[in-house]
Amino acid sequence: MLLATTAFATNAFAAEPPACMDEVMREQILGHLGNVEQMASGRRLVGLAPVADVLVAPPASANQYATATTYISASRYCEARAEFDTGEAEPIYWRIDQMMDDGEESTRLDVCHRFFDVFEDGCKAFRPGE
């Protein structure tokens, strides 16, 4: 744990993850959620209405296997309302991680919604402070 904390602290100036409603992130979420929802319920996703955008340090679990050169430097927690053609809306959560891997930066996107809530806990891991 000390190694991960040290690695994070020495590289605090890495770029931030993209904004929650960044066009690339938004398109990835709409595409993924739209396909899953259409197959599962027959509803068609028509949009995302932003609710929250919180930039924080990554959760401890994200860097539990970090090394001095490979780690997550920052995380952005996002929440929106997924709006469907039926007039219904449901919460959707995602986390965007800015990763460092041997000096190369990349971005990782993890999404949680009722059809892909792995732990079936209301997407707690995707809400800061939960």
Side-chain angles (χ1 to χ4, degrees), residues 30-124:
L30 286 171
H32 183 69
L33 180 60
N35 291 337
V36 171
E37 184 68 38
Q38 186 83 31
M39 290 185 315
S41 70
R43 298 184 300 181
R44 192 173 60 80
L45 180 65
V46 295
L48 289 177
V51 175
D53 181 330
V54 181
L55 180 66
V56 296
S61 61
N63 278 317
Q64 71 185 56
Y65 301 110
T67 68
T69 60
T70 302
Y71 55 91
I72 295 173
S73 60
S75 296
R76 186 179 302 276
Y77 287 84
C78 307
E79 179 182 347
R81 267 190 358 262
E83 298 171 338
F84 300 96
D85 59 350
T86 58
E88 298 168 293
E90 295 177 2
I92 178 172
Y93 306 93
W94 63 99
R95 193 178 82 217
I96 306 168
D97 295 324
Q98 196 66 26
M99 301 181 65
M100 292 297 292
D101 189 5
D102 287 330
E104 298 290 320
E105 279 190 309
S106 62
T107 302
R108 182 178 74 187
L109 172 67
D110 283 327
V111 180
C112 189
H113 178 263
R114 70 182 179 109
F115 287 124
F116 41 93
D117 181 359
V118 177
F119 300 109
E120 297 180 358
D121 64 358
C123 302
K124 278 180 98 170

